[in-house]
């Protein structure tokens, strides 16, 4: 069986068409399937649309979250209910085209547990592409891994992969990154990325920056390693300066007692100390968030799913 997991947020108008195209594609493959639609507290009341679809077709399983939790928590809500041997994860706005599902599946059957859809030319707004590139560069730098911004969530994953991802306990979920951590035989196929068929991206610039900051803090301790390194460098240079000034002192070369240099160094180190403390504070905040141990999402209603709490 193939499960297709789709987080739904602000793409109500194209929803019926999307499900229809996915069904055609899956029928052509000829395996059993389920389509799991996760309504991420969509303000357009997509749930109404989803209920309509699910009432006519038992293969359409639906989950309504209690509020908007974000794309990745919504994906996880779907993954936890997915029963298929293979799981496809995709966006709801046609940017990930359903027509590639059979190609993904075919590639997977050639002996891969993960097949990513590699977006050859991204059809996102300029600013988004730029920030995405910058973000993946920073992430590669800070985690010392190679990340490719052309790979998103779209792909097909074996049950083993999904179960491994579900074992990961971090409170901050980013499916794309977690699925790259688990290993398994991985490949990708090239796909065309689509334009959004209706509406605008749910990710504003502010949301993207917040997401990026969270990812860097949750997935890397390198910023802290850097500050340690920076601290040592500054200590070392001041040690060199102490020796130099001591030499000047014993050879009676000090004439004017420095006032500017004292004020400047106080400002410099004051700023640095506050910055480093702030950075540590951010990590402490993340630890607090982790110890709260809150659920990643809350389910309000389900349709065509037998055991809502399993
Ligand atoms: N999405 C979601 N919750 C959110 C924001 C987005 O479930 O709070 C889903 C949305 O339904 C879509 C996917 O995440 O399927 C990607 O969102 P969007 O198209 O807005 O972002 P972009 O394509 O610009 O990354
Ligand atoms: Mg989109």
């Amino acid at each position: 069986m193939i499960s297709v997991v789709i987080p739904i947020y602000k793409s109500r108008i194209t929803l019926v068409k999307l499900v229809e195209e996915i069904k055609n594609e899956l029928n052509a493959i000829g395996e059993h399937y389920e389509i799991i639609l996760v309504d991420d507290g969509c303000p357009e009341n997509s749930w109404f649309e989803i209920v309509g679809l699910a009432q006519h077709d038992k293969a359409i399983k639906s989950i309504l979250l209690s509020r908007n939790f974000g794309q990745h928590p919504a994906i996880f809500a779907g993954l936890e209910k997915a029963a298929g041997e293979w799981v496809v994860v995709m966006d709801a706005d046609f940017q990930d085209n359903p027509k590639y599902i059979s190609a993904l599946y075919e590639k997977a059957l050639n002996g891969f547990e993960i097949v990513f859809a590699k977006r050859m030319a991204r059809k996102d707004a300029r600013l988004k592409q730029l920030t995405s590139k910058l973000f993946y560069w920073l992430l590669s730098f800070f985690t010392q891994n190679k990340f490719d911004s052309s790979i998103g969530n779209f792909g097909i994953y074996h049950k083993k992969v999904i179960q491994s991802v579900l074992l990961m306990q971090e409170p901050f979920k980013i499916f794309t990154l977690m699925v790259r951590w688990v290993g398994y035989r991985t490949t990708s196929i090239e796909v065309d990325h689509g334009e959004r068929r209706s509406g605008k991206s749910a990710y504003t610039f502010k949301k993207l920056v917040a997401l990026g900051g969270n990812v860097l803090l949750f997935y890397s301790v390198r910023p802290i390693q850097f500050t340690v390194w920076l601290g040592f460098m500054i200590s070392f240079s001041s040690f060199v300066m102490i020796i130099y000034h001591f030499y000047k002192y014993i050879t009676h070369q000090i004439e004017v007692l420095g006032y500017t240099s004292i004020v400047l160094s106080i400002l410099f180190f004051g700023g640095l100390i506050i910055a480093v403390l702030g950075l540590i504070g951010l990590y402490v905040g993340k630890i607090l968030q982790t110890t709260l141990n809150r659920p990643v999402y809350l389910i309000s209603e389900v349709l065509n799913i037998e055991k809502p709490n399993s």
Side-chain angles (χ1 to χ4, degrees):
M1 175 154 95
I2 303 177
S3 305
V4 180
V5 171
I6 313 170
I8 311 286
Y9 187 76
K10 290 198 179 163
S11 31
R12 177 176 174 176
I13 335 174
T14 47
L15 190 61
V16 174
K17 181 94 177 80
L18 179 76
V19 169
E20 186 189 307
E21 284 193 21
I22 294 174
K23 272 163 81 172
N24 289 341
E25 182 71 14
L26 291 169
N27 282 325
I29 295 174
E31 304 279 0
H32 285 292
Y33 65 83
E34 60 178 4
I35 301 173
I36 305 180
L37 304 175
V38 185
D39 184 328
D40 184 21
C42 178
E44 297 167 330
N45 197 12
S46 309
W47 186 242
F48 181 76
E49 213 83 53
I50 294 172
V51 169
L53 285 163
Q55 273 168 349
H56 288 105
D57 188 347
K58 284 270 168 281
I60 297 181
K61 320 215 155 160
S62 315
I63 303 169
L64 173 64
L65 301 186
S66 65
R67 62 169 170 84
N68 176 237
F69 281 89
Q71 178 184 7
H72 293 273
I75 290 176
F76 273 80
L79 294 180
E80 275 179 15
K81 298 285 181 275
E85 163 109 22
W86 292 96
V87 178
V88 173
V89 176
M90 61 189 293
D91 282 359
D93 56 359
F94 275 102
Q95 288 197 281
D96 299 333
N97 200 315
K99 74 177 180 197
Y100 293 112
I101 294 177
S102 51
L104 286 167
Y105 184 57
E106 203 174 297
K107 187 82 182 179
L109 292 185
N110 285 337
F112 296 97
E113 277 108 10
I114 298 177
V115 185
F116 289 119
K118 200 171 155 62
R119 305 170 282 192
M120 289 329 287
R122 284 185 66 171
K123 299 277 168 57
D124 289 311
R126 272 278 154 76
L127 182 66
K128 164 118 189 204
Q129 287 193 36
L130 208 73
T131 45
S132 167
K133 279 233 170 75
L134 177 72
F135 168 69
Y136 276 103
W137 184 84
L138 278 174
L139 190 68
S140 306
F141 178 71
F142 278 121
T143 60
Q144 286 168 301
N145 276 316
K146 256 183 80 98
F147 286 106
D148 176 353
S149 71
S150 62
I151 292 174
N153 300 310
F154 192 24
I156 194 165
Y157 312 95
H158 190 263
K159 197 164 64 182
K160 281 190 278 191
V161 175
I162 298 302
Q163 276 163 0
S164 305
V165 169
L166 290 177
L167 281 179
M168 295 167 78
Q169 295 291 319
E170 54 254 56
F172 180 69
K173 311 280 190 198
I174 295 285
F175 177 72
T176 336
L177 302 181
M178 293 167 74
V179 84
R180 293 184 211 196
W181 181 85
V182 297
Y184 299 103
R185 276 163 296 186
T186 305
T187 188
S188 60
I189 60 167
E190 296 182 355
V191 303
D192 287 326
H193 196 218
E195 303 267 0
R196 221 176 192 284
R197 290 245 180 124
S198 72
K200 278 199 304 209
S201 167
Y203 285 101
T204 56
F205 184 66
K206 212 171 131 194
K207 264 194 178 176
L208 283 177
V209 171
L211 188 76
N214 268 331
V215 170
L216 289 181
L217 284 176
F218 265 110
Y219 286 94
S220 140
V221 288
R222 261 195 132 193
I224 283 200
Q225 288 170 349
F226 267 118
T227 59
V228 172
W229 182 80
L230 188 69
F232 273 123
M233 291 301 284
I234 291 170
S235 305
F236 180 73
S237 57
S238 63
F239 183 68
V240 172
M241 273 163 72
I242 287 169
I243 293 175
Y244 172 69
H245 282 283
F246 187 66
Y247 167 77
K248 279 180 92 169
Y249 174 74
I250 54 173
T251 53
H252 305 288
Q253 288 182 47
I254 296 182
E255 286 145 20
V256 190
L257 293 176
Y259 185 77
T260 328
S261 58
I262 290 176
V263 172
L264 283 182
S265 55
I266 287 174
L267 282 178
F268 176 68
F269 288 107
L272 205 64
I273 289 167
I274 293 171
V276 171
L277 274 179
L279 180 68
I280 294 170
L282 288 176
Y283 277 98
V284 174
K286 295 299 155 196
I287 297 171
L288 174 70
Q289 253 168 290
T290 311
T291 53
L292 283 178
N293 211 3
R294 290 192 181 162
V296 174
Y297 56 84
L298 292 170
I299 293 178
S300 166
E301 279 177 56
V302 297
L303 267 173
N304 296 341
I305 293 175
E306 297 77 33
K307 287 184 290 174
N309 292 320
S310 70

